Amino acid sequence: MPPHDPPHNNLILIVDDHAPLRQSIKGILAELGYQAVEQASNGREAISILQQQTVACIVSDWNMPGMDGLQLLEWVRTNPSSAGIPFMLLTAEATRDRIKAALHRGVSDYLVKPFTSQQFRQRFQRLIDGEAQAPQAPVERPPVVGLPPQDVDGKRKTILIVDDVKDNIEVTAGLLEQDYGIKVAISGQKALDIVARQAPDLILLDVMMPGMDGHEVCRRLKQDEATRHIPIIFMTARDQPGDVAEGLELGAVDYVVKPAHPTVLRARVRTHLRLAQHLVQLTEQSGTLAEHAHLRDEVERMGRHDLKNPLTAALQASECLLDDPGLGPRQRELARLATDATRQAIEQVNRTLDLFRIETGTFVLQAQPFDLADILTRAARETETSFLAKGIRIQNPADATQASWALGDSGLTASLLGNLLRNAAEASPDNGVVTAHFGLDDKWLTLRLHNHGAIPPELRQRFFDKYATAGKVGGTGIGTYSARLYARAQNGELQFESDETSGTTLVLSLPAAPSGGNNTP
């Protein structure tokens, strides 16, 4: 029970493109005593309600088609009549940048999905009572700019000077000892022994030495995995192009001709030490990225496989509840919501599994005849509902008697058409029309989807590439990529035509089912 009776005129606005979640939140609000509830499937529909009615509080999802929750929040805060309305954002991605964006636009509170009914009750009650305090975004440390200093790790860098002439060593050491730790070796073998005990950060190596010359020392160091990373600068009086090229081919990073100018020598030493440190950092970052990629693969594997068991159990339990004759109306509604939501989650997991199998070449097509027009009708209805405030209509002027049976996977095709219609609706102007035309020949069933929006020129060459997106808030670049893969996995094809004058047409071609697909003569 709520701590006090809410006024009957407190109208709560729920904004979410997922109808089961809207209904679930509406049920929680009813338990708290809030019976006056309006629902919207996206930001545009919510604005239409706000312009006509006085709302006490807004609970909005973040990611929605048409206008998302962040854009709705910005509109609410910049409109004088709605600027003071408490606003809660629901999000599945509580990253630092997203939280900062929400706080910057004046969010009252945000709740991370998935959340329990109890969590929502507590946060909503605080919100409606004016006690909500939006959590603070994580502290962002200033980025490191430029290359690291020579003592970035807190250690004085060490340079090994290798030369068989002691006077040369003394001169070189005198130029560098103020800034660096100095080690010296008067022969190639002595240099290798010093490096084996403790590797320096950089080596200044003479080329012409008795016994083992500088080239041989360099060759051995570069052949050893433990020492190949050490930058080597050759110092020699031999300055012919062939000599320089030979040293660089052995793996040296630079070549200094004796007698070295002090300013030039210091600059080259400093530069290569910084480059070496930068390379170490890049290597560490690469290792971290590899670990993250492995972790991502494991998480995706869990999502693809491990989630199916608990989801299946949840579906069976909710279906059993629906079969219970003693269930009350409210309990039956909740069981139905749970059943529908669980089925949708299983379908999403299945599509993710299909995408993974297609990408890895392990997908096996179990082709069956299906009615493409029927799938199009259902996908169109869902899309029109999601974009109700934008006034999008999807028309199929084809003759109802025209054959529309394809041979392939109906589940893949439903996901494919859902992605294409959502993209078409987002690209269309308000009150726009998306038209669908079927074509049929001896082998192919073709569906042409046209909308009046043009694909941005910079995106056209990579429209079907993975992660390709341009100017779309919250876009992932997976929709059209997966759509083409789903088409090709069914031995079909997906192409597009687009320009600023006529708009965009997506052309889906699938193998036509023999005899219309329904075994009729």
Side-chain angles (χ1 to χ4, degrees):
M1 292 294 294
H4 57 79
D5 293 329
H8 291 292
N9 61 351
N10 269 5
L11 179 63
I12 311 300
L13 175 58
I14 305 171
V15 191
D16 199 302
D17 61 323
H18 192 55
L21 185 57
R22 294 201 307 268
Q23 290 298 111
S24 177
I25 293 175
K26 181 181 178 182
I28 297 173
L29 292 175
E31 293 173 359
L32 289 171
Y34 296 91
Q35 301 294 336
V37 174
E38 285 282 358
Q39 299 183 44
S41 61
N42 59 37
R44 290 178 181 270
E45 191 174 338
I47 289 175
S48 178
I49 294 172
L50 289 166
Q51 290 172 334
Q52 299 177 37
Q53 302 187 62
T54 301
V55 172
C57 181
I58 301 171
V59 178
S60 175
D61 187 25
W62 188 313
N63 290 327
M64 296 179 292
M67 174 185 281
D68 65 20
L70 192 65
Q71 293 169 317
L72 173 61
L73 171 61
E74 188 168 15
W75 184 92
V76 167
R77 291 294 180 248
T78 54
N79 190 296
S81 63
S82 61
I85 299 176
F87 195 114
M88 178 189 288
L89 267 177
L90 309 178
T91 176
E93 302 175 56
T95 63
R96 181 180 62 202
D97 290 341
R98 288 173 68 88
I99 294 172
K100 286 179 63 179
L103 292 173
H104 177 70
R105 288 165 175 80
V107 72
S108 306
D109 200 357
Y110 59 85
L111 190 56
V112 180
K113 299 178 183 179
F115 48 81
T116 65
S117 297
Q118 182 63 26
Q119 288 173 327
F120 181 84
R121 289 190 192 97
Q122 292 174 350
R123 297 288 280 274
F124 178 81
Q125 197 64 63
R126 288 189 337 195
L127 181 71
I128 204 72
D129 290 341
E131 300 173 357
Q133 292 183 348
Q136 297 299 307
V139 177
E140 183 177 3
R141 297 181 178 179
V144 177
V145 180
L147 292 174
Q150 61 193 40
D151 58 348
V152 68
D153 54 4
K155 297 180 181 179
R156 186 177 173 86
K157 300 300 183 184
T158 300
I159 297 175
L160 173 60
I161 303 173
V162 186
D163 199 310
D164 63 314
V165 179
K166 292 183 179 181
D167 290 344
N168 292 340
I169 290 178
E170 291 177 359
V171 171
T172 305
L175 294 174
L176 302 172
E177 61 186 358
Q178 184 175 348
D179 299 317
Y180 308 99
I182 302 297
K183 293 183 178 181
V184 299
I186 58 173
S187 70
Q189 186 57 56
K190 182 66 174 178
L192 294 177
D193 294 342
I194 292 174
V195 173
R197 290 195 300 270
Q198 186 174 3
D201 296 292
L202 184 142
I203 300 174
L204 292 173
L205 181 59
D206 186 25
V207 173
M208 300 175 63
M209 295 184 295
M212 185 186 300
D213 66 10
H215 286 166
E216 180 60 24
V217 174
C218 181
R219 185 179 294 107
R220 295 192 184 187
L221 289 173
K222 295 303 177 182
Q223 289 174 346
D224 190 338
E225 188 67 30
T227 58
R228 65 186 309 171
H229 67 281
I230 303 173
I232 297 174
I233 299 176
F234 278 124
M235 294 186 66
T236 180
R238 296 170 57 178
D239 60 352
Q240 296 301 308
D243 298 326
V244 175
E246 182 180 1
L248 296 176
E249 288 174 359
L250 288 172
V253 296
D254 210 339
Y255 213 97
V256 177
V257 178
K258 296 180 181 179
H261 190 284
T263 302
V264 172
L265 179 61
R266 291 193 189 100
R268 291 189 175 183
V269 167
R270 182 169 59 250
T271 296
H272 288 294
L273 282 172
R274 289 184 173 180
L275 289 175
Q277 182 64 34
H278 194 45
L279 180 60
V280 169
Q281 290 182 332
L282 289 175
T283 302
E284 292 174 350
Q285 291 173 3
S286 176
T288 301
L289 289 173
E291 292 177 3
H292 289 173
H294 178 69
L295 177 61
R296 180 202 63 200
D297 291 342
E298 285 299 301
V299 171
E300 289 182 352
R301 182 191 63 79
M302 292 170 60
R304 287 189 294 264
H305 299 281
D306 299 350
L307 280 177
K308 297 191 77 172
N309 289 334
L311 285 174
T312 301
L315 179 61
Q316 292 173 350
S318 61
E319 288 177 337
C320 287
L321 284 174
L322 284 174
D323 293 336
D324 185 351
L327 222 57
R330 173 60 179 158
Q331 288 73 26
R332 186 169 298 280
E333 179 187 7
L334 290 175
R336 181 184 59 77
L337 287 173
T339 302
D340 292 345
T342 306
R343 284 174 177 161
Q344 290 180 16
I346 292 174
E347 183 65 19
Q348 290 174 0
V349 171
N350 287 337
R351 294 290 76 80
T352 304
L353 268 170
D354 289 335
L355 182 59
F356 172 76
R357 290 168 179 153
I358 293 169
E359 288 184 320
T360 56
T362 58
F363 177 80
V364 178
L365 176 65
Q366 303 289 338
Q368 297 289 334
F370 63 88
D371 188 354
L372 183 59
D374 180 61
I375 293 177
L376 174 65
T377 299
R378 285 186 276 116
R381 188 182 306 118
E382 293 173 1
T383 304
E384 287 180 340
T385 300
S386 296
F387 290 85
L388 189 62
K390 195 175 179 180
I392 298 298
R393 291 178 297 122
I394 299 173
Q395 294 182 345
N396 176 19
D399 190 328
T401 62
Q402 183 176 357
S404 58
W405 284 77
L407 186 65
D409 186 304
S410 59
L412 288 184
T413 304
S415 179
L416 182 161
L417 287 182
N419 283 331
L420 296 186
L421 289 177
R422 281 193 298 273
N423 284 345
E426 289 173 350
S428 297
D430 288 354
N431 301 312
V433 176
V434 179
T435 56
H437 293 270
F438 283 103
L440 181 67
D441 59 24
D442 293 338
K443 295 183 178 180
W444 297 100
L445 175 64
T446 301
L447 172 62
R448 299 174 67 88
L449 296 173
H450 176 266
N451 71 85
H452 292 285
I455 298 171
E458 67 274 14
L459 185 61
R460 293 173 191 171
Q461 291 297 322
R462 51 191 183 91
F463 183 64
F464 291 114
D465 291 352
K466 196 172 186 178
Y467 308 128
T469 184
K472 180 180 176 182
V473 178
T476 63
I478 294 294
T480 52
Y481 166 77
S482 62
R484 173 175 265 190
L485 283 187
Y486 289 168
R488 291 179 172 178
Q490 300 177 77
N491 301 312
E493 186 55 272
L494 179 63
Q495 299 172 312
F496 75 90
E497 305 160 0
S498 184
D499 60 61
E500 282 68 24
T501 302
S502 58
T504 299
T505 301
L506 289 159
V507 184
L508 171 65
S509 301
L510 292 174
S515 301
N518 52 3
N519 297 321
T520 58

